[in-house]
Amino acid sequence: MATLAQIANRIRDLAVLKAPKKTGNLKRKLADYNRPSGMIKQSKTNSTRSFEFELDVSPPGAEYGKFWNDPNVSSTVRNGKTPNVPKSINFAQQAINDPQIQKMIDDYVSKIADEVANEVGKSIERELKDFI
């Protein structure tokens, strides 16, 4: 079972793999800048537990990554006037939508759901014992 940090690392690694080649240092900057501690956003309220992954596609020193992740920003990218098109457009979205990533997330969510169900079950048992 993967942890959130392992999932974040895998998203980053896939984004680096899918990022365009021959664009300078984008791949290296993506790998260096995006760390699980900065990518994972978690929140927990009484009845809701949520998490999200945030990948910076234009890290310092490779700000042009935003043009590749949103082809509507650049006519060069949009019109396919580069050797990287089309497989590198929206590289971060491709990474997060990867079936392996989705399975890792589904497995993690199932694990959390099981833990919550166990907690609720124990709480009900305690309440019943106190009631009887």
Side-chain angles (χ1 to χ4, degrees):
M1 183 66 54
T3 64
L4 285 178
Q6 290 169 325
I7 296 170
N9 279 331
R10 185 67 185 137
I11 291 169
R12 180 202 60 215
D13 294 347
L14 278 176
V16 169
L17 182 69
K18 294 175 181 295
K21 298 175 180 86
K22 300 179 183 177
T23 55
N25 60 358
L26 178 59
K27 287 180 176 277
R28 183 173 48 82
K29 292 291 184 179
L30 283 171
D32 290 345
Y33 189 78
N34 290 290
R35 297 282 176 229
S37 59
M39 291 175 63
I40 301 168
K41 310 297 180 208
Q42 294 187 75
S43 65
K44 184 177 180 181
T45 62
N46 292 339
S47 61
T48 305
R49 193 170 182 180
S50 65
F51 63 93
E52 63 183 68
F53 299 100
E54 201 172 275
L55 178 79
D56 189 339
V57 297
S58 60
E63 290 81 3
Y64 54 87
K66 66 184 172 190
F67 297 116
W68 282 101
N69 205 55
D70 182 4
N72 295 321
V73 177
S74 166
S75 61
T76 302
V77 173
R78 187 175 54 246
N79 296 329
K81 295 182 178 178
T82 123
N84 294 301
V85 173
K87 67 180 179 175
S88 293
I89 293 175
N90 294 324
F91 60 90
Q93 197 65 35
Q94 288 182 48
I96 193 68
N97 289 331
D98 184 84
Q100 181 186 24
I101 297 295
Q102 291 304 308
K103 180 171 180 353
M104 291 172 81
I105 292 171
D106 290 346
D107 290 347
Y108 184 83
V109 169
S110 291
K111 175 185 163 205
I112 296 300
D114 289 344
E115 290 174 4
V116 169
N118 287 335
E119 288 177 30
V120 169
K122 288 177 185 176
S123 179
I124 290 172
E125 282 180 21
R126 283 191 299 273
E127 290 293 323
L128 287 175
K129 284 181 183 177
D130 291 343
F131 184 72
I132 296 177

